[in-house]
Amino acid sequence: MNKVANGMYWELSAPVQGEDDGEDDDPEDRKIKLRGPVAFVDRHNRGLSAEQESVITGAHRTAVARLRARGWL
């Protein structure tokens, strides 16, 4: 499994604080098993904005730090 990509997906799919879409958030919906190389891209706009790149970079840092703290990396 690609542990870092799984961790990034977990970070990026987290419910937004203060935003209620009327649905209950089930943490099980955020669990996936990515394998091999993974890329987080914006296929519609042919590129990422600086803000989007920042969000993805932050998710990567958080995922790596969490995995290292648990001894999984």
Side-chain angles (χ1 to χ4, degrees):
M1 279 191 298
N2 187 328
K3 294 176 185 175
V4 175
N6 289 336
M8 288 177 66
Y9 180 82
W10 181 263
E11 293 296 324
L12 294 168
S13 64
V16 177
Q17 292 287 339
E19 185 177 293
D20 186 13
D21 58 6
E23 295 182 20
D24 292 333
D25 294 315
D26 183 359
E28 291 298 314
D29 290 341
R30 293 172 56 207
K31 292 183 181 178
I32 61 171
K33 304 289 186 205
L34 298 170
R35 296 178 185 345
V38 176
F40 294 87
V41 298
D42 180 356
R43 297 182 335 168
H44 300 287
N45 297 318
R46 303 229 181 241
L48 298 174
S49 68
E51 182 181 348
Q52 290 169 324
E53 286 184 29
S54 176
V55 169
I56 289 174
T57 300
H60 182 268
R61 279 195 204 109
T62 302
V64 168
R66 183 173 288 134
L67 290 166
R68 283 190 177 144
R70 294 180 178 175
W72 294 354
L73 283 183

